[in-house]
Amino acid sequence: MARGKIQIKRIENQTNRQVTYSKRRNGLFKKAHELTVLCDARVSIIMFSSSNKLHEFISPNTTTKEIIDLYQTVSDVDVWSAHYERMQETKRKLLETNRKLRTQIKQRLGECLDELDTQELRSLEEEMENTFKLVRERKFKSLGNQIETTKKKNKSQQDIQKNLIHELELRAEDPHYGLVDNGGDYDSVLGYQIEGSRAYALRYHQNHHHHYPNHALHAPSASDIITFHLLE
């Protein structure tokens, strides 16, 4: 049965259109490959789908650029000139912008001021004053934060020192303050000692079992006291 002739027009159904594009693209690339092998031709095909997806075929041992360069040579058409001119224009604008920025930096350093008139100098002065104001505000804010942090640290140190002094006062009022009877085998804190800016804890350490009537507290000798460094 003879195959019916397909009417050439846009396929409205998107799925059918995509399937047809894929099949015919593969068929076209297959024919291009056959031309390359059978006829030793150099073939380049560039295709974009309706979704702007690129599909490309290029004969082996060549590149798309080589094909385009050959096309320019044969047809005497320069396909790169317009693009090159746009690139040169972009380069010129970037160089001009860079030159202006360098000049502005120098002017803010006190250089290249001779080419400025009175109005431009006044504008530059106002801009520099506003900049200095922002820098000063930021500096004062940073200093304020550092001062607050230092105050908090100092207060914490003062609280620690106050607590240590309070412990010493209690120890002075009661010689047995801080001693804990633990059945004869215990480590007991006697109190604290402050020398200059250094604070120490004095701990009574007993390693032997002793029996005292009515659980009387044993008065520690000098050899029983161990000094621990607490704070500097």
Side-chain angles (χ1 to χ4, degrees), residues 107-108 113 116 120-128:
Q107 290 172 351
R108 281 156 179 75
L113 299 179
L116 299 179
E120 291 174 337
L121 288 172
R122 186 178 294 109
S123 298
L124 178 61
E125 181 182 12
E126 293 177 356
E127 184 177 349
M128 294 293 292

Side-chain angles (χ1 to χ4, degrees), residues 52-187:
N52 291 329
K53 186 176 181 180
L54 171 65
H55 298 93
E56 181 180 15
F57 173 86
I58 186 69
S59 298
N61 301 323
T62 188
T63 64
T64 301
K65 183 179 182 304
E66 291 176 351
I67 295 293
I68 294 176
D69 290 341
L70 180 60
Y71 171 78
Q72 291 185 116
T73 302
V74 174
S75 61
D76 197 22
V77 175
D78 188 359
V79 298
W80 303 110
S81 59
H83 181 63
Y84 177 77
E85 290 176 0
R86 288 194 299 269
M87 290 179 62
Q88 288 295 107
E89 179 64 18
T90 302
K91 178 183 177 182
R92 186 191 65 78
K93 291 180 179 179
L94 291 175
L95 289 175
E96 179 64 19
T97 301
N98 182 65
R99 186 191 66 80
K100 290 181 178 180
L101 290 174
R102 288 179 176 273
T103 300
Q104 291 177 3
I105 292 174
K106 290 181 179 180
Q107 290 172 351
R108 281 156 179 75
L109 295 175
E111 304 175 6
C112 301
L113 299 179
D114 294 338
E115 56 190 56
L116 299 179
D117 57 24
T118 304
Q119 182 60 36
E120 291 174 337
L121 288 172
R122 186 178 294 109
S123 298
L124 178 61
E125 181 182 12
E126 293 177 356
E127 184 177 349
M128 294 293 292
E129 288 178 352
N130 293 332
T131 301
F132 291 152
K133 181 180 178 181
L134 293 175
V135 172
R136 283 193 296 267
E137 291 177 353
R138 184 67 185 90
K139 181 188 69 174
F140 291 147
K141 182 178 180 181
S142 178
L143 289 175
N145 293 336
Q146 293 179 9
I147 291 173
E148 289 299 322
T149 301
T150 303
K151 287 181 177 179
K152 291 179 180 179
K153 290 182 178 179
N154 290 337
K155 186 178 183 304
S156 177
Q157 297 294 333
Q158 291 173 1
D159 291 340
I160 293 174
Q161 185 177 14
K162 182 179 178 181
N163 292 334
L164 293 175
I165 294 174
H166 179 67
E167 294 289 339
L168 283 174
E169 292 175 349
L170 293 177
R171 177 70 182 91
E173 295 175 0
D174 183 3
H176 300 299
Y177 174 78
L179 289 178
V180 179
D181 186 1
N182 193 21
D185 185 11
Y186 50 83
D187 292 334

